[in-house]
Amino acid sequence: MPDTKTSKPTIAISHLGCEKNRIDTEHMLGLLVEAGYQVDSNEELADYVIVNTCSFIQAAREESVRTLVELAEANKKIVIAGCMAQHFQAQLLEEIPEAVAVVGSADYNKIVEVIQRAETGERVQEVSAEPRYIADETTPRYRTTPEAVAYLRIAEGCDYRCAFCIIPHLRGNQRSRSIESIVAEAEQLASEGVKEIILISQITTNYGLDLYGKPQLAELLRALGKVDIPWIRMHYAYPTGLTPDVIRAIQEVPNVLPYLDLPLQHAHPEILRGMNRPWQGQVNDRIIERIKTALPQATLRTTFIVGFPGETDEHFEHLVEFVERHEFDHVGVFTFSPEEGTPAYNLPNQLSQSVMDERRDRLMRVQQPISLKKNQAEVGKYVDVLIEQENPETGELIGRSARFSPEVDGLVYVRGDARLGSMARVEITDADFYDLYGTVMG
């Protein structure tokens, strides 16, 4: 970290939202540190607080607004960055006088210049109308994850136009990094001791389509297989992109985990048509069965939206039956959030929040015994666990097996001795709905 005697202002960053936002935050931190700024985690000691906001759904915006209001009441100079800045730039400057700058979702690379301009008294509005930027392996980065884990963005933006989703408006169209650039960053992370990299983008299975004229995920996985990192995990793998070639790459490349995060959103063809995902209704069952046959040890995670406009009891029961039949390892359920600017915002037959909440809770109750059964099947097995935390009071170690992705899945609570950031061989001795328990092998 830079010398605290520097005359430059001290800066704190408040990170909200998804792991894509986290990477943007890490690049802003890296750029500021490289430019000689003192970065402090304590917002009270900072001259400027950069709030990297989320605007994906109403609840995320409310969290962002609460954070901004609290900082404004503390008389902080606020830089509003990220998706909410992209979404509501003029409105934010008007309603939050303490905001000295707004920085769009693809303008975080200009953060040093933004702070310099704000220091002169300018009220900065740095928001590209059409987001185009994507950082690469040469962009400074100061990681905020546990030392052994890193997210690796392979593409940014989305070319799909799902009726409920505002992401293309906030993040722009898909733009992929080259395989060489991604591998170079993976090698850099490996040299820093990273044991797990998590590949992210809006649609990981569409990786390379814009750059190479066709998806190149299989080629990317094979190239990453040569990097000395034990675990490579994928998020946001759309089922239609899981071609036989991609499945073969997962089978063949030993450090690519058979962990598939499939954002299905629904199962009924009529609702999927309404969501502007009609292709998916024809292939869900077929592709899931193909994955299970080709990768019998695969961990399958998915997310669903309940309460999409027009969702009837019959549509919902179809979804319940789908979840019961396929027995996913992990399921996340969200209620529909009407986003202004999306086609679904003005659709008729909007459901009440109470009906949506009831459906979400029921689907989660349906999933609970499935999750428990999947976890109980691990009891008696010996698995590798990435050790990430230690309870200072009890000495109990906490980590994750290959079945668990950070922050969205369960944890493994471990007795015994192992170094933080290491892979430990653990015998699983117990399980509950979400977590596993075990002992380090002697």
Side-chain angles (χ1 to χ4, degrees):
M1 283 289 183
D3 190 327
T4 53
K5 295 176 184 174
T6 178
S7 60
K8 291 184 176 180
T10 299
I11 299 169
I13 299 189
S14 176
H15 158 79
L16 304 170
C18 65
E19 60 267 41
K20 301 174 199 73
N21 248 24
R22 179 187 289 277
I23 289 180
D24 298 346
T25 296
E26 292 177 348
H27 283 306
M28 284 192 281
L29 282 167
L31 289 161
L32 289 163
V33 168
E34 184 185 63
Y37 286 89
Q38 176 73 15
V39 178
D40 200 301
S41 57
N42 187 340
E43 293 166 6
E44 291 181 14
L45 300 178
D47 300 302
Y48 289 85
V49 179
I50 301 168
V51 182
N52 199 7
T53 58
C54 180
S55 194
F56 181 45
I57 57 174
Q58 181 65 29
R61 283 196 295 279
E62 288 170 358
E63 182 187 13
S64 295
V65 168
R66 276 196 304 274
T67 302
L68 293 170
V69 168
E70 285 168 9
L71 290 167
E73 288 173 348
N75 294 315
K76 290 295 173 187
K77 295 176 185 173
I78 306 167
V79 176
I80 307 173
C83 288
M84 201 165 178
Q86 189 75 32
H87 202 178
F88 301 109
Q89 49 188 300
Q91 191 178 335
L92 288 167
L93 284 175
E94 184 182 327
E95 294 184 6
I96 303 178
E98 294 80 4
V100 298
V102 289
V103 181
S105 61
D107 298 283
Y108 56 88
N109 57 312
K110 304 168 192 164
I111 191 64
V112 171
E113 178 197 334
V114 166
I115 297 293
Q116 290 168 345
R117 287 163 62 189
E119 279 286 274
T120 69
E122 180 185 351
R123 207 160 186 227
V124 184
Q125 198 163 345
E126 190 63 68
V127 181
S128 298
E130 194 175 328
R132 292 182 183 275
Y133 177 75
I134 180 168
D136 62 21
E137 78 282 7
T138 66
T139 312
R141 183 176 176 186
Y142 189 88
R143 285 195 293 114
T144 60
T145 47
E147 63 180 272
V149 182
Y151 293 101
L152 179 49
R153 178 159 44 207
I154 64 173
E156 176 65 286
C158 184
D159 292 336
Y160 287 177
R161 295 296 183 265
C162 298
F164 55 83
C165 185
I166 201 164
I167 289 297
H169 173 65
L170 301 179
R171 293 275 179 174
N173 289 329
Q174 178 172 299
R175 47 209 187 272
S176 302
R177 295 170 56 185
S178 71
I179 290 175
E180 293 76 16
S181 170
I182 295 165
V183 169
E185 185 169 2
E187 287 174 340
Q188 202 171 298
L189 293 168
S191 73
E192 295 169 9
V194 168
K195 301 288 194 300
E196 175 182 16
I197 60 173
I198 301 166
L199 306 181
I200 60 168
S201 70
Q202 268 68 32
I203 306 177
T204 300
T205 35
N206 273 12
Y207 164 74
L209 181 60
D210 54 307
L211 194 60
Y212 299 107
K214 61 178 181 177
Q216 295 283 287
L217 179 59
E219 288 74 10
L220 175 62
L221 294 178
R222 290 189 174 101
L224 287 170
K226 296 168 185 168
V227 179
D228 186 20
I229 285 186
W231 286 356
I232 295 171
R233 187 187 302 274
M234 283 186 292
H235 277 194
Y236 311 108
Y238 274 55
T240 47
L242 290 168
T243 62
D245 196 27
V246 171
I247 290 174
R248 271 195 305 275
I250 297 169
Q251 289 171 325
E252 294 165 7
V253 182
N255 56 350
V256 173
L257 298 177
Y259 175 102
L260 292 171
D261 171 39
L262 312 167
L264 298 178
Q265 312 307 4
H266 213 279
H268 198 287
E270 288 176 15
I271 296 299
L272 289 166
R273 270 198 297 278
M275 290 178 166
N276 199 26
R277 297 162 70 101
W279 38 270
Q280 191 185 305
Q282 310 307 313
V283 299
N284 268 351
D285 287 307
R286 196 164 67 247
I287 287 182
I288 291 166
E289 290 308 324
R290 191 172 79 202
I291 292 166
K292 286 179 175 178
T293 301
L295 300 164
Q297 301 307 313
T299 299
L300 299 184
R301 171 178 177 73
T302 190
T303 49
F304 296 111
I305 296 171
V306 296
F308 188 82
E311 183 189 58
T312 64
D313 288 342
E314 181 191 349
H315 294 145
F316 177 68
E317 292 304 329
H318 182 278
L319 177 58
V320 168
E321 186 272 334
F322 181 83
V323 169
E324 289 174 332
R325 178 157 42 89
H326 285 299
E327 296 194 327
F328 298 96
D329 293 79
H330 313 294
V331 170
V333 185
F334 301 90
T335 58
F336 170 73
S337 176
E339 297 304 311
E340 197 169 353
T342 65
Y345 184 75
N346 293 314
L347 285 178
N349 303 314
Q350 303 265 343
L351 278 70
S352 70
Q353 190 62 48
S354 61
V355 168
M356 293 195 289
D357 289 345
E358 187 181 308
R359 288 181 179 177
R360 178 198 59 207
D361 294 347
R362 177 159 168 231
L363 198 57
M364 289 306 294
R365 285 197 302 274
V366 166
Q367 175 60 27
Q368 271 198 332
I370 298 170
S371 294
L372 179 61
K373 184 173 85 169
K374 294 280 186 176
N375 277 353
Q376 285 176 333
E378 297 295 292
V379 174
K381 291 182 180 177
Y382 296 90
V383 302
D384 289 328
V385 173
L386 182 56
I387 304 297
E388 295 179 298
Q389 304 170 56
E390 182 179 3
N391 184 323
E393 293 178 6
T394 65
E396 184 179 46
L397 301 169
I398 305 170
R400 291 176 297 105
S401 71
R403 292 184 62 246
F404 296 149
S405 196
E407 299 184 24
V408 292
D409 299 330
L411 296 167
V412 184
Y413 293 88
V414 179
R415 293 182 302 277
D417 294 322
R419 189 172 47 81
L420 290 180
S422 71
M423 287 276 187
R425 195 72 173 159
V426 171
E427 180 184 7
I428 302 301
T429 55
D430 201 3
D432 60 26
F433 288 117
Y434 299 110
D435 302 317
L436 297 174
Y437 304 83
T439 306
V440 176
M441 293 176 62

